[in-house]
Amino acid sequence: MSYHLDMQYSRKFEFISSLHSYICRKSHKKIDLTPNWAQKIKQQLTPELSAMLDELEVNGDWKFSYLLILLSTGMNEIEEVIAWLQNMSVGDLYELFAPYGNQFPTNMGDFQQRMITVFSEWNRQYFERSDPAIHEALLAHDQERRTAMGHMRQEAFIDETTNGLVFEPVSGVDKLLLVPQYHFQPMNVIMQYGDVLFCHYSSRTDIGEEDFMPTHDFRTIRALSEKSRLRILRYLHHGPRSFIEIVREMNLSKGITHDHIAKLRSAGLIYVHFQGETVTEYSLRRKALNEIQSKLLDYIEK
């Protein structure tokens, strides 16, 4: 089974990525933005917006916030999405969300007003001031990937584009939407909405002109510099393994094992197999090991 594959990019998607990066507090130390990025932004926000964002969590309601962005078809800018949302009734929102599940925000009216305020103020106080080079780089990446999509097998294209994500066939899901993002790098956001699997993937885009190797390549080298991670790669060489199987083999705690796997994932050194939103197993991504050797030599011999 192959998915109906689509790619999209517009500024509204990077808007929601930036907001997700801020409210996903447990990921602040894992993303490529400067370690104190969130603290710096918080100091620039009004107390009212800061308090509202402190109450937001990456939960069921937040999934509907992402869905609003996805369903605002024909709109590229977040200002258009906000105007569209303002013109909706509560009944319109229930009707809009109905095809994507039978659970809704606890109070749809409160959810609507909260999202209008959060979207409007985050855009005014942060996103509209963000570096335009981010949008330009993502637009160029999207165009390059669209060109490549016409010349590659679907499996290989998804692998290369997402840096090792594998989406196994799932009954009732036949569409895969890939959207590049910058703010939440090197992590991904995977959400299922009805028959659509949405993947907001790390584009591995660098902004700046530092005379060094790309951030992602350096991350891959660092990921290989730890004994337990090398042992995990050797174990996965024998075939796909679940998280629990890796924990047992490594004889490490779940927390430590998860951290090692997260670093291997971010480096693209392992395949992450999904069924819908759920990770089922991991396997060795041998091509990444071959590629990093040549990239390292290219940097040294440059």
Side-chain angles (χ1 to χ4, degrees):
M1 170 187 170
S2 62
Y3 286 97
H4 174 69
L5 182 62
D6 190 18
M7 285 199 68
Q8 291 185 27
Y9 172 70
S10 62
R11 282 174 55 86
K12 67 180 181 182
F13 285 114
E14 191 56 26
F15 168 88
I16 199 68
S17 175
S18 68
L19 189 49
H20 183 89
S21 301
Y22 184 88
I23 71 168
C24 189
R25 288 168 280 277
K26 66 180 182 180
S27 298
H28 285 173
K29 294 182 179 180
K30 302 176 183 178
I31 57 180
D32 286 347
L33 296 172
T34 57
N36 60 347
W37 172 80
Q39 290 86 342
K40 284 184 176 180
I41 299 304
K42 188 179 182 68
Q43 293 172 2
Q44 300 171 14
L45 304 178
T46 62
E48 294 77 14
L49 178 59
S50 179
M52 290 190 73
L53 296 180
D54 286 345
E55 293 178 357
L56 287 180
E57 298 179 5
V58 180
N59 55 16
D61 281 7
W62 181 245
K63 189 173 180 179
F64 282 105
S65 303
Y66 245 99
L67 184 56
L68 283 172
I69 301 298
L70 183 59
L71 295 179
S72 56
T73 55
M75 305 173 206
N76 295 319
E77 301 292 341
I78 191 61
E79 293 89 350
E80 297 175 281
V81 178
I82 295 167
W84 169 70
L85 183 56
Q86 287 174 327
N87 288 328
M88 281 193 181
S89 67
V90 170
D92 291 335
L93 282 173
Y94 277 112
E95 186 175 346
L96 182 72
F97 291 153
Y100 302 94
N102 55 10
Q103 292 185 337
F104 304 100
T106 304
N107 187 312
M108 188 68 82
D110 287 349
F111 167 80
Q112 179 185 24
Q113 293 306 314
R114 183 167 63 252
M115 286 304 100
I116 290 171
T117 301
V118 167
F119 284 1
S120 300
E121 290 305 310
W122 179 255
N123 185 52
R124 184 178 67 84
Q125 298 183 41
Y126 172 72
F127 189 70
E128 68 179 11
R129 305 177 186 177
S130 60
D131 190 346
I134 295 173
H135 172 64
E136 294 167 3
L138 287 171
L139 192 60
H141 168 88
D142 177 67
Q143 293 171 341
E144 183 274 327
R145 286 288 83 200
R146 286 177 179 274
T147 301
M149 185 165 55
H151 305 286
M152 298 178 67
R153 291 183 300 106
Q154 185 179 105
E155 181 180 343
F157 175 80
I158 295 171
D159 171 22
E160 183 178 284
T161 302
T162 66
N163 200 35
L165 302 186
V166 179
F167 298 99
E168 307 290 357
V170 176
S171 177
V173 180
D174 58 14
K175 301 175 185 177
L176 175 61
L177 174 60
L178 301 179
V179 179
Q181 54 87 11
Y182 169 83
H183 276 81
F184 205 49
Q185 297 182 129
M187 305 174 75
N188 310 289
V189 178
I190 315 292
M191 296 184 183
Q192 181 180 337
Y193 297 108
D195 65 349
V196 178
L197 193 57
F198 173 81
C199 175
H200 213 178
Y201 70 89
S202 168
S203 62
R204 306 186 301 284
T205 299
D206 281 334
I207 302 296
E209 300 180 357
E210 183 180 359
D211 185 20
F212 192 58
M213 66 174 59
T215 300
H216 172 69
D217 294 344
F218 188 49
R219 177 174 25 257
T220 304
I221 293 171
R222 285 184 297 159
L224 290 168
S225 65
E226 208 283 334
K227 180 171 64 176
S228 293
R229 289 178 216 143
L230 292 176
R231 290 177 58 215
I232 291 172
L233 293 178
R234 185 171 63 178
Y235 180 52
L236 294 180
H237 167 68
H238 299 289
R241 297 290 187 267
S242 69
F243 175 73
I244 293 301
E245 287 175 315
I246 297 172
V247 169
R248 290 171 179 166
E249 175 69 17
M250 295 299 105
N251 195 28
L252 298 170
S253 71
K254 290 182 179 180
I256 292 175
T257 304
H258 183 272
D259 183 64
H260 286 316
I261 289 176
K263 287 183 170 58
L264 293 172
R265 283 181 59 171
S266 297
L269 289 164
I270 57 178
Y271 287 112
V272 186
H273 299 256
F274 283 87
Q275 287 187 353
E277 299 176 348
T278 304
V279 176
T280 57
E281 58 187 9
Y282 305 93
S283 58
L284 179 65
R285 191 167 181 246
R286 183 186 293 272
K287 63 176 288 185
L289 293 171
N290 296 331
E291 290 171 356
I292 196 59
Q293 179 180 359
S294 62
K295 289 177 179 179
L296 179 59
L297 287 174
D298 286 344
Y299 172 75
I300 291 172
E301 296 171 355
K302 188 175 180 180

